[in-house]
Amino acid sequence: MASVRKGQKMVLVMVGLPARGKSFTARRLARYLSWLGYPTRVFNLGEQRRTELGGRQTHEFFDPSNEEGRRIRQALAQQVLEELVLWLRANGRVAIYDATNHTRARRQAIRERCETEGFAVQFIEVENDDPRVIDANVRETKLSSPDYADMDPEAAVRDFRLRIAHYAAGYEKVADAEGSYLRIVDRGRQVVMNQIDGYLPSRIVFFLSNLQITTRSIFLTRHGESEYNVEGLIGGDSGLSPQGRRYAQELSHHMRERLGETPFEVWTSTLRRTRDTAAPLGRPVAEWRSLDEIEAGICDGFSYAQIRDKWPHEFDARQRDKLGYRYPRGESYQDVIQRLDRVIIELERYRTPVLVIGHQAVCRALYTYFMDLPLTECPHVPIPLHTVIELTPRAYGCEETRTALEPRPTNAEAPSH
Ligand code: F6P
């Protein structure tokens, strides 16, 4: 069995007919892998075509009997593949080739090219034959494409169906003899694996088999102001200040206003300040160790000024590289992200709204994932106390609404170092 060596660069090759959700899957996967610390980039053939040719190719362009169209499409596919190779050679870890790649010959050519570079290749086939899903996909994502600018929507849908038919005529599903692949059928109703071996490929399978395409909100908030917040100390397990307790009440009202009778999950850390913030909600609470605040090790229970005086080298090292810096006997932001992986998988899997009552560093890490921010920004994302951040993931991107609730915290926030 071909296995992926530790550190080996990977090419994930999307396979499937148009409008099956390949681009959605590719982007979500890229966001997840980048967040885990594997530099990942999607190379999308459709975008390249629109850039090079200005879009507006109607179905005839994709007809396999159109010699000219075929020649141009092949040249573009080759060009994108070469860009992918250059990027992966230079600095990437995982490249996702997002195109139909619907014939065996095409996939074989991609594999050969990538393997001469020493990259591991894995196919990800997205299959879905439910006409309602395909139709919704065409209407939601394709009609707004520059291909159909100024075209009557019904004419555009008819044209896109014909485009699909051109591909369907020559479509060959990935076969076992083609090596490592993952096939996702009907949005995860069935997941088929062949020759998946190694840590990263297994993480990819795990993520994709839990990925749901649902639009529901995730509410992120820090606990109400704690006694330690008032004193400007980090870490610890203190209770809420009077202001913090009032925030807990406000939060409960806010959730009732936002969701009414809609059921939602409440997740907290194991620390008192988050559990006490959840109490007025009067709902069952799931406590997650993974949601505990960044472990400050020897610095726990001190103020930033005290840390700077007692351990100036540590303080400076954290200023220089806040993402990678690990407190002695504690954690770094990168460590926090690794332990939040489980939380992300669960959030991707749930179909109901979830209220996460966490802490500054933990909320930063979750926010970075949903908003697809570069990791370097993670330790600096503003997550003020007494603010609810409502995140609504969409097919491409995530909507955000911030609501600052009274009362404002007593002690203006400790500065973020
Ligand atoms: O100050 C509150 C707090 O949650 C501390 O417990 C934690 O160490 C800190 O925020 C994390 O923020 P930063 O990474 O900016 O120090």
Side-chain angles (χ1 to χ4, degrees):
M1 184 196 300
S3 75
V4 178
R5 295 188 311 276
K6 191 173 179 320
Q8 189 179 10
K9 300 193 176 206
M10 283 190 80
V11 181
L12 304 175
V13 181
M14 303 306 296
V15 177
L17 294 173
R20 264 50 183 183
K22 294 187 300 301
S23 295
F24 170 85
T25 308
R27 286 174 200 221
R28 284 296 179 88
L29 186 55
R31 178 175 85 177
Y32 173 67
L33 295 175
S34 306
W35 181 76
L36 281 180
Y38 302 99
T40 303
R41 194 161 138 186
V42 178
F43 293 80
N44 178 292
L45 184 51
E47 273 168 24
Q48 183 80 2
R49 171 177 57 77
R50 285 184 285 271
T51 310
E52 297 277 322
L53 310 178
R56 293 178 192 240
Q57 280 74 45
T58 47
H59 77 89
E60 298 83 359
F61 179 76
F62 303 91
D63 186 336
S65 64
N66 172 353
E67 272 304 321
E68 166 83 355
R70 207 159 74 180
R71 197 182 46 74
I72 299 174
R73 283 188 292 121
Q74 227 161 37
L76 281 172
Q78 206 47 40
Q79 190 182 326
V80 173
L81 184 59
E82 288 310 317
E83 272 175 30
L84 176 155
V85 165
L86 281 180
W87 179 79
L88 204 50
R89 248 194 230 156
N91 39 25
R93 175 67 202 277
V94 181
I96 307 182
Y97 188 17
D98 182 14
T100 52
N101 299 316
H102 68 303
T103 66
R104 208 160 290 153
R106 179 77 205 125
R107 294 191 291 269
Q108 178 62 22
I110 296 170
R111 174 181 289 289
E112 280 168 15
R113 177 71 188 92
C114 292
E115 285 180 349
T116 55
E117 295 287 331
F119 306 150
V121 174
Q122 184 180 317
F123 299 118
I124 300 181
E125 184 167 37
V126 183
E127 201 183 301
N128 196 323
D129 294 321
D130 181 343
R132 282 166 310 175
V133 173
I134 299 165
D135 209 61
N137 212 338
V138 171
R139 287 174 196 275
E140 275 163 33
T141 64
K142 308 293 176 188
L143 295 192
S144 52
S145 132
D147 281 346
Y148 295 120
D150 311 326
M151 201 193 261
D152 161 62
E154 290 313 311
V157 170
R158 277 197 301 278
D159 184 83
F160 202 86
R161 287 201 186 117
L162 289 169
R163 187 197 294 189
I164 295 176
H166 292 315
Y167 281 99
Y171 183 27
E172 295 165 305
K173 277 207 218 180
V174 181
D176 291 356
E178 289 185 64
S180 177
Y181 74 81
L182 171 70
R183 177 181 300 124
I184 306 159
V185 185
D186 295 344
R187 296 171 159 185
R189 183 180 56 76
Q190 192 189 38
V191 176
V192 181
M193 287 194 285
N194 187 57
Q195 296 188 29
I196 300 287
D197 181 35
Y199 180 75
L200 189 53
S202 309
R203 291 232 60 79
I204 292 169
V205 172
F206 191 51
F207 175 76
L208 291 181
S209 20
N210 284 288
L211 185 64
Q212 296 289 336
I213 311 181
T214 42
T215 300
R216 51 91 182 96
S217 292
I218 292 154
F219 296 83
L220 266 190
T221 179
R222 288 169 68 183
H223 51 81
E225 181 190 60
S226 69
E227 287 153 2
Y228 259 38
N229 290 143
V230 176
E231 292 174 62
L233 308 177
I234 68 168
D237 191 13
S238 63
L240 297 179
S241 73
Q243 298 281 65
R245 281 197 292 278
R246 280 203 291 281
Y247 173 70
Q249 297 290 345
E250 286 304 317
L251 176 64
S252 165
H253 297 152
H254 178 77
M255 293 307 290
R256 201 164 318 123
E257 236 168 58
R258 280 295 298 115
L259 294 180
E261 296 306 309
T262 311
F264 64 99
E265 298 280 322
V266 182
W267 297 357
T268 67
S269 74
T270 64
L271 298 169
R272 222 174 111 197
R273 52 196 187 275
T274 61
R275 291 187 282 122
D276 290 353
T277 305
L281 292 158
R283 300 187 66 86
V285 168
E287 281 177 28
W288 288 74
R289 187 78 197 271
S290 318
L291 285 172
D292 284 1
E293 182 53 312
I294 188 169
E295 171 55 60
I298 60 167
C299 298
D300 187 278
F302 292 94
S303 69
Y304 292 113
Q306 288 167 333
I307 297 168
R308 193 179 48 222
D309 291 346
K310 270 172 100 68
W311 300 284
H313 294 305
E314 295 297 333
F315 189 85
D316 288 348
R318 190 161 199 258
Q319 298 279 80
R320 279 197 303 276
D321 174 19
K322 200 174 169 189
L323 177 68
Y325 171 83
R326 178 180 285 147
Y327 283 108
R329 280 185 258 137
E331 289 178 306
S332 67
Y333 268 87
Q334 280 167 335
D335 294 331
V336 171
I337 287 172
Q338 296 308 314
R339 71 166 146 91
L340 283 173
D341 184 16
R342 290 185 50 199
V343 177
I344 288 296
I345 298 277
E346 286 297 273
L347 283 174
E348 288 291 7
R349 200 170 67 80
Y350 269 68
R351 292 163 191 258
T352 47
V354 182
L355 166 64
V356 179
I357 305 177
H359 304 264
Q360 179 153 249
V362 159
C363 289
R364 280 178 175 151
L366 296 174
Y367 181 92
T368 298
Y369 171 80
F370 284 106
M371 299 308 284
D372 202 8
L373 299 180
L375 274 187
T376 46
E377 286 181 27
C378 172
H380 308 284
V381 173
I383 308 279
L385 281 172
H386 299 188
T387 304
V388 184
I389 304 175
E390 184 175 341
L391 299 172
T392 311
R394 302 271 173 211
Y396 299 118
C398 186
E399 276 169 24
E400 168 185 2
T401 320
R402 287 185 177 225
T403 315
L405 299 180
E406 293 297 338
R408 302 303 304 142
T410 1
N411 185 359
E413 296 255 2
S416 163
H417 290 274

